[in-house]
Amino acid sequence: MSANGNGTAEAVKDTIYRSCLLLDEEKWGEWLDLCDDGFKYSIKAWSPEINYDMTYFSADHNHLTTMTEQLPKHNTDHSPLKRHSTVYAVDVDKDGKTATAITSLVVYQNMLDGENSHLDSGENHLFLVGKYLDKLKIENGKAKFLEREVRIETRRLDKGSHWPI
Amino acid sequence: MPARNHKQWMADPNLPQGEWVDSRIYSDPEIYEEELEKIFKKTWIPVCHESELSEPYDFRTTTIAHEPIVITRGPDNTVRAFLNVCPHRGMMIERRPSGSFLEGQPSGNPKRMTCMFHAWQFDMKGNCVYISREKEGYQDRICKEDTGLRRLRCEVAMGGFVWVCLDDKPESSLEEWAGKPFECIRESIDAEPLEVFHYHKAIINTNYKLWHDTNSEFYHDFMHYHNRVTGFNDEYFARKNIGFEHGHVNVTSFEVNYDEYEGFESREELSFPKFPPNQWFMIDLFPGMNFNLRGSALRCDIMTPLGPNKVMIEFRGLGVKSDSAKDRQTRIDHHNSIWGPFGRNLHEDLIGVTGQGATMKNSTEPRRILHGRHEDNYIHDEIGLRHYYDEWGKWMNRLPSDPMQEYKAPAVAAE
Ligand code: FES
Ligand SMILES: [Fe+2]
């Protein structure tokens, strides 16, 4: 860790936690503002069932921008997803310009639609568990995402989601 | 017609028999159990793909109609299926979804299926090869030779899928059962070994037939923004639904214009062996499986009904085993963008059928579900649904539009 490693680690954590708040609020554009233009995003899971390291979703910055802009044209479950995350580890590279971070992640679905909203709205379901494996760049004391792999354990995803996790 | 009063609402629709069904076929617990006995225990069910147990001694476990099943690949490379039930006192022999018997288990030796409870052991052909303290307990009254596993009909076919039939004497061979509807893509999926690259599951509260219905009708493309913009052209409306014997259906192909959807590219560059680019064939197999070859990726849905209003759907995506890393990634991306758990269409389809499940639960009023669209079998014709339910009626000896009555053929045959 570099001399200013602690400050850098704080900057990394700050960006990760802010990203969670923005994603929780479905502020996709503002989330993407925390990401570098060359940002790469994926959702992956290991399947013991088929013995294969799977990719469930992958996209770059452009693709995420068009995809999230098109969301209003799609039919979507209205139940918001809410994240609980804890940054477990931040490793700042020697030159202090990039860092990697591992964040434990739990995503709950706060039912609005459910199956019958009369019964289900207000209830929470565990939607998925996993980790954010992030790579960030550090500039002027601020951290921006270069890559995010959402490494999930959950393979029973029921209705799934249109939204980035 | 303005909104209807109760009598009007409950009246039969102005359509001939065979063009609508009564929702009790989706919700009645007795009908559900009867379907497992009369249909799921009698027909060929694809349970997994052979690439999921690619090495000798690999195994995979599954369930058909409440019965636990273990699939093994023997040292002779033959894939076999057995009830995953110990003949001693009924323990489930293998508890994991997949793995290898090459390694020994705490209770038993390598290359054996071992029941952990009292350490009985079985080989890959289902022979019982070890009973702990056999002579001491059974003297000569019961021995290994009497206690083999229950073997099941099992075949690897149609692109390397593993098919199981719980009935020792099925009405048709697998080839007679599914050969015809598979003809449209058989050359492509049998040209080279395939490999599964995608697996996820949904357990949702709806009847399995409602998922099958959604897979069998394209009228619901109105729900998919993606399909409306990439699909609704003359060629799309020229797609036909074709019914086959045994209740199976094909939807014929057309060229998809992926570049009409912002952010998507044409999929011309990668297809399946012997499969023209950007084409798309669907096979809907009775009683509830779907094979969908769309350009670069093959999707397969396998349904395990769990109750009248509950089903597990296993989603698989497949490519060609010999794929380069680049081609494989392209197939995966194409698959996921529409069909993945975070893709554009699957989420919408699943919302659709759970919405149906919610209004058709057991003890709600029976509803009349319309299957009466006629468009010369073209894409939005509901012939696929009519064809399926006629077959269902025969297997169940129940009339889909009045399931407490015996089956009788519709006035106009569904074919
Ligand atoms: S139940 Fe399997 S060995 Fe006893
Ligand atoms: Fe659909």
Side-chain angles (χ1 to χ4, degrees), chain B residues 319-336:
Chain B
V320 177
K321 196 163 194 163
S322 64
D323 279 341
S324 65
K326 182 170 166 278
D327 282 355
R328 179 57 61 87
Q329 195 52 50
T330 305
R331 293 191 202 281
I332 291 172
D333 289 343
H334 288 176
H335 172 276
N336 287 342

Side-chain angles (χ1 to χ4, degrees), chain B residues 78 101 122 142 151 168 170-171 173 229 243 261 298 310 316 378:
Chain B
T78 301
F101 291 120
F122 308 89
I142 284 185
R151 67 165 189 273
D168 283 347
E171 210 182 88
S173 69
V229 297
Y261 184 91
L298 174 65
K310 192 170 184 179
R316 284 173 170 80
Y378 286 108

Side-chain angles (χ1 to χ4, degrees), chain A residues 43-44 47-58 63 66-71 73-78 81 109 113-116 119 127-128 152 154-165, chain B residues 51-52 60 97-98 195-205 222-226 228 261-264 315-316 328-329 332-333 336-337 340-348 350-351 354-355 358 361:
Chain A
I43 304 173
K44 294 187 176 183
S47 166
E49 294 86 2
I50 61 166
N51 198 24
Y52 198 89
D53 197 35
M54 305 181 293
T55 301
Y56 278 160
F57 182 82
S58 64
H63 181 167
T66 36
M67 187 191 97
T68 50
E69 281 169 1
Q70 281 173 345
L71 282 174
K73 295 184 176 178
H74 283 273
N75 287 298
T76 294
D77 189 302
H78 300 95
L81 298 179
Q109 193 172 31
D113 304 10
E115 286 162 14
N116 177 346
L119 311 175
F127 184 62
L128 61 80
I152 65 176
T154 313
R155 303 176 300 284
R156 177 187 155 184
L157 288 151
D158 294 350
K159 281 189 265 179
S161 175
H162 273 157
W163 298 325
I165 298 304
Chain B
S51 67
E52 297 165 43
R60 191 83 173 85
S98 74
E195 186 175 59
V196 179
F197 59 67
H198 177 96
Y199 179 84
H200 85 276
K201 55 175 105 161
I203 297 182
I204 52 168
N205 291 330
F222 283 100
M223 166 164 85
H224 298 310
Y225 170 65
H226 175 269
R228 290 203 310 269
Y261 184 91
E262 211 188 329
F264 280 26
F315 299 100
R316 284 173 170 80
R328 179 57 61 87
Q329 195 52 50
I332 291 172
D333 289 343
N336 287 342
S337 59
F342 304 97
R344 298 306 92 190
N345 286 12
L346 194 72
H347 180 54
E348 295 170 344
L350 288 160
I351 295 171
T354 44
K361 280 189 179 36

Side-chain angles (χ1 to χ4, degrees), chain B residues 151-343:
Chain B
R151 67 165 189 273
L152 302 171
R153 295 221 163 257
C154 178
E155 285 188 40
V156 177
M158 324 285 172
F161 284 90
V162 179
W163 301 75
V164 172
C165 182
L166 290 185
D167 191 342
D168 283 347
K169 295 195 177 79
E171 210 182 88
S172 333
S173 69
L174 175 60
E175 195 55 46
E176 289 161 356
W177 178 253
K180 285 258 159 55
F182 264 98
E183 251 166 41
C184 58
I185 60 167
R186 192 97 182 243
E187 241 200 336
S188 296
I189 61 172
D190 280 341
E192 284 186 53
L194 306 183
E195 186 175 59
V196 179
F197 59 67
H198 177 96
Y199 179 84
H200 85 276
K201 55 175 105 161
I203 297 182
I204 52 168
N205 291 330
T206 198
N207 185 271
Y208 75 94
K209 297 188 291 300
L210 290 164
W211 184 253
H212 196 70
D213 293 352
T214 296
N215 273 338
S216 309
E217 57 94 352
F218 278 70
Y219 190 36
H220 81 269
D221 276 334
F222 283 100
M223 166 164 85
H224 298 310
Y225 170 65
H226 175 269
N227 291 22
R228 290 203 310 269
V229 297
T230 61
F232 281 8
N233 57 27
D234 292 350
E235 264 195 88
Y236 167 87
F237 286 103
R239 285 181 92 176
K240 281 224 169 189
N241 297 278
I242 302 173
F244 292 87
E245 209 186 341
H246 308 304
H248 313 315
V249 173
N250 272 181
V251 181
T252 59
S253 188
F254 86 121
E255 193 164 337
V256 184
N257 298 319
Y258 290 99
D259 26 19
E260 297 289 322
Y261 184 91
E262 211 188 329
F264 280 26
E265 286 158 9
S266 165
R267 296 170 177 196
E268 227 155 43
E269 81 277 17
L270 186 66
S271 181
F272 253 60
K274 307 179 182 183
F275 196 62
N278 284 338
Q279 294 292 311
W280 179 10
F281 279 100
M282 294 271 280
I283 303 168
D284 294 296
L285 278 201
F286 185 86
M289 310 90 199
N290 171 264
F291 297 81
N292 200 331
L293 182 54
R294 183 172 180 156
S296 53
L298 174 65
R299 162 178 157 191
C300 169
D301 298 1
I302 297 173
M303 277 191 280
T304 304
L306 300 175
N309 197 45
K310 192 170 184 179
V311 60
M312 175 169 77
I313 314 165
E314 291 172 284
F315 299 100
R316 284 173 170 80
L318 296 97
V320 177
K321 196 163 194 163
S322 64
D323 279 341
S324 65
K326 182 170 166 278
D327 282 355
R328 179 57 61 87
Q329 195 52 50
T330 305
R331 293 191 202 281
I332 291 172
D333 289 343
H334 288 176
H335 172 276
N336 287 342
S337 59
I338 310 169
W339 293 335
F342 304 97

